[in-house]
Amino acid sequence: GAVVSQHPSRVICKSGTSVKIECRSLDFQATTMFWYRQFPKQSLMLMATSNEGSKATYEQGVEKDKFLINHASLTLSTLTVTSAHPEDSSFYICSAPNGGGSDTQYFGPGTRLTVL
Amino acid sequence: GENVEQHPSTLSVQEGDSAVIKCTYSDSASNYFPWYKQELGKRPQLIIDIRSNVGEKKDQRIAVTLNKTAKHFSLHITETQPEDSAVYFCAASKGGSNYKLTFGKGTLLTVNP
């Protein structure tokens, strides 16, 4: 299957700082990527749809100025959590469909963010 | 928007028994229904999926059934093994690479040896 990577896998930061998370499709091109957030013992909640070359589409209740998404190439999308606070601590996971109109989405390994 | 309900939230079975997890969806336009297995701290892994033009699909010990009229679909795991223990999520989408997945809340499956 297709491979999606994320970096970093784990980050600890102080309150008020910004954190950038990268999502890469390693062996395929992805015009669309999805960013999810998962709190402990909960389901995956879609935050936004990242579109290559255009603005991201945010889900209701997700602050676009706080969670900046940039999809500058067909293999890379970045999520920047600006002015992070402890309540932003979560598991952030990206996914990408492997193209050709396929339904199948492949997930990255996730990034564990802890804001002190 | 789409709403996916998943039951039960926890399921405990003895090794060798079968496990069934059920999901319902609300949007009749949804036509793609994947199931993911997630181990603690790991990424969700696709284990099986079904599209709306099919009523049942099987892959070894895992099967999925879909009732489009009733808008529900189920995951069946037979001959369960301890390594099947994980959280299982159902999801629904309208299909295609640009459509988002809406997930159920998950089922924690525990297979007791």
Side-chain angles (χ1 to χ4, degrees), chain A residues 17-37:
Chain A
T17 60
S18 293
V19 174
K20 181 187 282 189
I21 302 169
E22 294 185 347
C23 177
R24 292 182 186 272
S25 55
L26 297 186
D27 51 359
F28 65 100
Q29 294 181 334
T31 56
T32 303
M33 291 183 176
F34 300 92
W35 285 97
Y36 295 85
R37 181 166 52 183

Side-chain angles (χ1 to χ4, degrees), chain B residues 9-11 16 19 31 55 57 62 75 104 106:
Chain B
S9 57
T10 61
L11 179 60
N31 59 14
K57 183 177 178 181
I62 295 173
L75 177 70

Side-chain angles (χ1 to χ4, degrees), chain A residues 34-53:
Chain A
F34 300 92
W35 285 97
Y36 295 85
R37 181 166 52 183
Q38 186 176 33
F39 292 109
K41 298 186 179 181
Q42 292 190 24
S43 187
L44 290 87
M45 296 301 296
L46 180 67
M47 299 175 67
T49 302
S50 174
N51 304 300
E52 188 269 333

